[in-house]
Amino acid sequence: MGGFPRPILHGLCTYGHAVRAILHKACDGDVERFKEFRARFSGVVYPGDSLVTEGWKEKGGRYLIQSRTDRGVVLSHAYARVE
């Protein structure tokens, strides 16, 4: 009913998958190191889509992040701060 051809995955689920990837790779599983995450929802994820989260390390423990599906970027303008 929201104008999509089929049900979509809730944005917080997409957000959670990105955070999980950051915790696993950038924080080595240590939640205490994870300090901040911000992102812009920029695309639609459908149940069953594969999500790929990519990150680029900057200075000061900051990572530029994006998540994408086969159709394009779904989380953009994102960053994480890790100590």
Side-chain angles (χ1 to χ4, degrees):
M1 304 305 270
F4 298 102
R6 59 184 196 226
I8 63 172
L9 192 67
H10 193 286
L12 287 179
C13 188
T14 304
Y15 196 88
H17 277 273
V19 169
R20 184 176 184 272
I22 295 163
L23 285 172
H24 180 70
K25 292 292 185 178
C27 300
D28 297 320
D30 184 0
V31 177
E32 294 294 321
R33 294 182 58 203
F34 187 85
K35 299 302 177 187
E36 183 178 8
F37 182 61
R38 294 187 184 221
R40 177 181 175 267
F41 296 107
S42 57
V44 177
V45 180
Y46 295 101
D49 282 351
S50 292
L51 282 171
V52 175
T53 299
E54 303 167 307
W56 298 268
K57 188 174 185 177
E58 290 192 314
K59 295 178 183 176
R62 183 175 156 126
Y63 290 80
L64 300 178
I65 305 292
Q66 80 172 11
S67 292
R68 60 181 168 80
T69 66
D70 291 341
R71 289 181 310 284
V73 176
V74 296
L75 277 181
S76 64
H77 299 87
Y79 74 88
R81 191 170 55 86
V82 174
E83 292 181 354

